Amino acid sequence: MSIQTIGIIGAGQMGSGIAQVCAQNGYTTFLTDAAQEFVDRGAARILGAWDTMESKGKISHDDVLLYRSRLRPTMNLQDYVACDVVIEAIIENKAEKVKIFRALDDLLRPEALLLSNTSSISLTEIAAVTKRADRVAGLHFFNPAPVMKLVEIVRALETSDATVETLKEFAASLGKTAVIAKDTAGFIVNFLLIPYLLAAIRMYENGTASMEDIDTAMKLGTGYPMGPFTLADYVGLDTTLFAAEVIYADNPDPAYAPPPLLKRMVAAGRLGKKSGRGFYTYE
Ligand code: CAA
Ligand code: NAD
């Protein structure tokens, strides 16, 4: 199938990053969110990233103009009728995602692919509310989407071979390396990453070491680019908590049980870098 037009739902950290990647790689890209202010903020983040790339000499001014011409921020979901592929990247909440999938299934052309960037939620359950389960799959990008080279293609029970093949080609067209995972909670990366982040929080709760020392130890001792507290703040403590809850519900291993401190921090609105405060404080 020929893909020319992409729609992204959710203009937060991930949705805006994915829209940026799509527009840079030749696709007309619609971007929407629940309110105009969030669309504006997501679009401003993308334009800012292109300005930075231009100022570093990585792209020309003509590139910026071309990329901008492909980006279509909108509050009108009807615009998505033109889309060949829609990627949902709203908050990690199954009920909200299901509502979006129902609405899009009614709106989109039958051949369009309907994808989710979910970190953990079952694609098979989401696909079941649509009439196009063969064309529903996970396309899981990593934060920051414009930089991280991986996407996980998550194959739900009813996802067709043709959809998986199209997604492999689409991922390559975005400059990403694709891996394929079955629809199990957490897929590949988060099944391994989430218990590591939770173990670091438990280690801090137990008083083994300070957050700063745990971060330093994992950066310098293992070569990770960020320590676990910096990374959890970067991912978002809400996303980390919701993903842990989903994986734990599917796979009740205590390693996935969210520690009390994480729950309390999210309850207090300390969501990490995006809210200005998580384990650390940000300008
Ligand atoms: N958008 C676009 N470009 C960005 C960017 C962004 N948000 N953030 C950084 N960059 C670019 C910078 O401009 C810079 O480019 P140049 O080298 O060409 O100048 C390059 O990326 C490196 O950035 P920095 O020099 O600012 O900083 P860094 O070298 O420390 O790298 C990082 C930043 C790439 C985020 C790195 O710290 C890193 O890889 N961290 C780990 C991130 C990670 O593990 N992500 C996965 C999280 S799990 C997940 O996403 C799945 C889930 O479901 C929760
Ligand atoms: P975020 O909080 O930065 O953004 C979520 C956006 O969704 C917000 O702008 C919010 O206004 C919008 N939204 C909420 N309900 C909506 C609705 N009904 N319609 C339209 N927009 C709605 O979160 P994020 O980090 O961008 O995560 C988005 C998705 O990507 C989640 O499913 C998350 O699990 C997944 N994900 C996150 C990361 C990460 O590191 N943060 C990495 C990979 C995947």
Side-chain angles (χ1 to χ4, degrees):
M1 111 182 234
S2 154
I3 299 175
Q4 286 168 0
T5 305
I6 313 290
I8 311 291
I9 312 272
Q13 302 185 94
M14 292 308 294
S16 63
I18 297 166
Q20 179 184 330
V21 173
C22 292
Q24 282 174 208
N25 286 286
Y27 298 101
T28 299
T29 307
F30 290 97
L31 178 66
T32 194
D33 200 292
Q36 185 70 52
E37 62 179 301
F38 302 133
V39 177
D40 293 345
R41 199 165 58 191
R45 196 179 296 130
I46 298 170
L47 300 186
W50 287 335
D51 287 346
T52 305
M53 287 163 78
E54 185 188 350
S55 66
K56 286 182 178 175
K58 289 164 83 179
I59 55 173
S60 69
H61 189 62
D62 284 350
D63 290 331
V64 174
L65 296 179
L66 186 61
Y67 298 168
R68 280 176 178 242
S69 73
R70 296 183 186 135
L71 184 66
R72 310 281 160 83
T74 177
M75 276 304 290
N76 185 2
L77 202 59
Q78 287 297 325
D79 289 340
Y80 282 59
V81 173
C83 293
D84 304 305
V85 170
V86 174
I87 307 171
E88 167 278 311
I90 70 163
I91 45 164
E92 189 72 346
N93 177 298
K94 187 174 147 194
E96 288 298 316
K97 288 186 191 288
V98 159
K99 268 193 237 163
I100 297 277
F101 269 70
R102 281 211 174 94
L104 287 169
D105 188 41
D106 288 342
L107 182 70
L108 299 182
R109 285 180 284 112
E111 62 273 24
L113 301 186
L114 198 33
L115 312 174
S116 176
N117 183 53
T118 179
S119 299
S120 56
I121 296 171
S122 163
L123 273 310
T124 305
E125 291 178 28
I126 295 177
V129 307
T130 73
K131 293 180 284 300
R132 63 179 81 215
D134 58 323
R135 271 151 294 141
V136 174
L139 193 64
H140 185 208
F141 292 76
F142 291 81
N143 192 13
V147 178
M148 304 306 279
K149 289 288 172 210
L150 185 73
V151 292
E152 288 177 324
I153 296 172
V154 183
R155 182 168 196 154
L157 271 189
E158 304 296 337
T159 307
S160 68
D161 291 345
T163 296
V164 172
E165 288 309 310
T166 303
L167 291 182
K168 283 187 198 166
E169 285 168 26
F170 178 52
S173 79
L174 298 176
K176 304 295 183 193
T177 297
V179 292
I180 300 181
K182 282 189 187 160
D183 181 28
T184 52
F187 322 126
I188 300 172
V189 172
N190 284 335
F191 192 76
L192 299 175
L193 179 65
I194 295 285
Y196 157 68
L197 298 179
L198 302 186
I201 298 170
R202 276 190 273 274
M203 178 181 269
Y204 168 65
E205 282 180 314
N206 292 340
T208 303
S210 67
M211 286 186 301
E212 291 81 358
D213 278 0
I214 297 170
D215 270 358
T216 301
M218 292 311 291
K219 271 180 70 174
L220 302 187
T222 67
Y224 287 8
M226 290 174 164
F229 293 96
T230 309
L231 182 56
D233 273 357
Y234 193 71
V235 164
L237 300 187
D238 51 347
T239 301
T240 305
L241 173 63
F242 302 152
E245 286 173 342
V246 170
I247 303 175
Y248 185 60
D250 216 36
N251 176 52
D253 175 333
Y256 297 90
L261 177 61
L262 179 62
K263 293 186 198 167
R264 281 166 184 63
M265 288 183 70
V266 173
R270 287 170 63 166
L271 305 184
K273 199 172 174 207
K274 67 184 170 188
S275 72
R277 198 166 174 214
F279 290 110
Y280 298 108
T281 301
Y282 302 86
E283 289 303 316

